[in-house]
Amino acid sequence: MTITESDLPGVGKKFEIELDGGEEMIVVIHNTGKREVFRRRDPDADSEKAFEFSDDLARTIGSIIEGAYFQPVEPDTQETTLPGGILLEWYELPPGSPLVGETLESADIGNRTGLAVVAIQRGDEVLESPDAGTTLREGDTLIGVGTRENCAAFEEILTG
């Protein structure tokens, strides 16, 4: 898969993404935040506009596609790297974890490891931006953001 990025002076940026079968998806991000998605069926065809999104809607759709709401694969088989080498990782609290029963404040995960817990999936519920008083439960899936080193440090305290 090849992704080509180019500047569109006065407009924004264009990303051309090669898809299977010779098709291309073109994403134009306007300086205003608007996003447009085009499809080109083959290199000789004209691009056809498929969608147009506001900045907020594009970010929501992006987080859905990224897997922030649903992970179709086991978390330990998925690694998501954000710009700058920052990782977005999912960690399930196993039975017997020393973190079970702790609040985010008492666990002091950020200070101990550098990992920021940005959400907790608890069954079908997602706790977005959990506060310091949130108690961690066995089976919770913590969604964390940090460097590879932060993630490794967190994995060490996850199981004790």
Side-chain angles (χ1 to χ4, degrees):
M1 171 180 64
T2 302
I3 300 174
T4 306
E5 177 182 336
S6 56
D7 288 323
L8 298 174
V11 176
K13 289 219 178 248
K14 176 173 74 171
F15 298 87
E16 296 176 89
I17 303 139
E18 288 182 9
L19 304 174
D20 292 337
E23 287 188 288
E24 281 187 319
M25 177 172 61
I26 296 103
V27 178
V28 176
I29 302 176
H30 293 254
N31 293 333
T32 62
K34 177 175 82 171
R35 269 69 159 191
E36 295 176 296
V37 179
F38 298 86
R39 177 182 182 190
R40 184 178 304 138
R41 295 183 187 275
D42 63 65
D44 297 325
D46 289 335
S47 298
E48 303 168 11
K49 186 173 184 177
F51 300 102
E52 183 175 314
F53 306 113
S54 67
D55 184 56
D56 287 341
L57 181 56
R59 291 177 188 278
T60 300
I61 291 168
S63 65
I64 290 168
I65 291 170
E66 179 73 66
Y69 292 94
F70 171 72
Q71 283 294 302
V73 294
E74 289 297 317
D76 60 356
T77 63
Q78 178 85 12
E79 182 177 278
T80 303
T81 306
L82 302 172
I86 301 297
L87 300 177
L88 177 65
E89 290 283 358
W90 287 256
Y91 300 99
E92 185 173 338
L93 287 182
S97 170
L99 298 177
V100 172
E102 296 278 344
T103 64
L104 285 174
E105 181 176 35
S106 67
D108 201 23
I109 294 166
N111 287 328
R112 291 171 65 192
T113 68
L115 185 85
V117 176
V118 296
I120 299 174
Q121 184 172 354
R122 185 170 285 158
D124 292 334
E125 180 184 12
V126 176
L127 308 172
E128 299 173 10
S129 301
D131 63 39
T134 302
T135 301
L136 302 174
R137 300 180 189 166
E138 182 179 308
D140 279 355
T141 298
L142 279 61
I143 295 103
V145 175
T147 65
R148 191 169 304 283
E149 293 77 22
N150 300 147
C151 293
F154 178 71
E155 289 170 13
E156 286 183 26
I157 67 168
L158 182 63
T159 55

